Amino acid sequence: MNYLLFFLLVTVTICQDEYGCEDDCECSDILDFFWMDRESILYTEEAGCVRNITCVNTGQTFVQFFYNESEIARPVDSNKDYGHAMSLNPEALTSDINIFEFFGMVCENKEWYITKYPRGILYQIATGEEIVIGANGVFDGKKSKIHDYWWLIV
Ligand SMILES: *[C@@H]1O[C@H](CO)[C@@H](O)[C@H](O)[C@H]1NC(C)=O
Ligand SMILES: *[C@@H]1O[C@H](CO)[C@@H](O)[C@H](O)[C@H]1NC(C)=O
C-alpha cells in the first residue's frame, strides 16, 4: 500500500475513535439547565456527548421532568404534571457525585435525557405530601427529557 494512503487511513481512524476531532455532540450546553453556580461544578467534556459533571451531593440535586416527555407514567395520585428524579442518599450526604453518570444522561436527537433513577422519583399528591417511588431502580432504562436541573443548598 501507498504509505501516504496508509498514513491518512490511520489518521482518520484515530481521529474518529479517540478525539472526535471536533465537537460532534449535537446537544445544547448541558450546563444551561443548571440553576447553580458554575464555579461549584467540576465539569469536563469527553468524546462525543459524554460529560463529567461532578459536585458535592447534599441530596438537594434533582432533575425535573414532565410525564408527557417521559417513558415513566404519571402516578395516578400525582397532582402535578411533573416529577423529580432524586439524588438523596442518607448515608452519603456530602460525597462527590458525577451527576451525568448518576442519572445516566444521554443526548439523542439534539435533546438531553436521563435514563437512571438510582434514588427513585419524588412527586406530590393533593394533600401536599411528597412521595418517593422506584428507589430500587425499577425505572432505570426509561427515558425522560431533562427539563430543569436544580441545585439548592440547604
Ligand atoms: C470526573 O471528575 C472528577 C472530578 O474532576 C474525577 O474525580 C472523576 O474521576 C471523574 N470521573 C470520570 C469517570 O472520569
Ligand atoms: C409537556 O407539558 C409541559 C407542561 O405543561 C409543556 O411545557 C410541554 O411543552 C409539554 N411537552 C410536550 C412534548 O407536549
Side-chain angles (χ1 to χ4, degrees), residues 108-129:
E108 268 186 42
N109 299 321
K110 305 189 176 164
E111 305 281 3
W112 289 108
Y113 294 89
I114 55 169
T115 62
K116 288 197 317 200
Y117 310 81
R119 306 281 180 259
I121 66 164
L122 178 143
Y123 69 95
Q124 210 179 56
I125 59 172
T127 59
E129 192 189 337

Side-chain angles (χ1 to χ4, degrees), residues 42 44 46 52 54 98 101:
L42 291 168
T44 49
E46 285 149 36
N52 179 342
T54 296
N98 177 355
E101 203 173 38

Side-chain angles (χ1 to χ4, degrees), residues 81-150:
D81 50 7
Y82 58 84
H84 293 151
M86 303 305 292
S87 63
L88 184 63
N89 177 6
E91 286 109 56
L93 273 186
T94 56
S95 61
D96 282 355
I97 75 170
N98 177 355
I99 297 161
F100 192 87
E101 203 173 38
F102 189 82
F103 290 116
M105 293 178 174
V106 295
C107 167
E108 268 186 42
N109 299 321
K110 305 189 176 164
E111 305 281 3
W112 289 108
Y113 294 89
I114 55 169
T115 62
K116 288 197 317 200
Y117 310 81
R119 306 281 180 259
I121 66 164
L122 178 143
Y123 69 95
Q124 210 179 56
I125 59 172
T127 59
E129 192 189 337
E130 292 179 332
I131 296 183
V132 175
I133 54 171
N136 55 357
V138 74
F139 294 127
D140 287 5
K142 292 189 189 293
K143 271 192 300 189
S144 301
K145 200 165 134 187
I146 299 178
H147 211 87
D148 273 329
Y149 195 66
W150 292 357

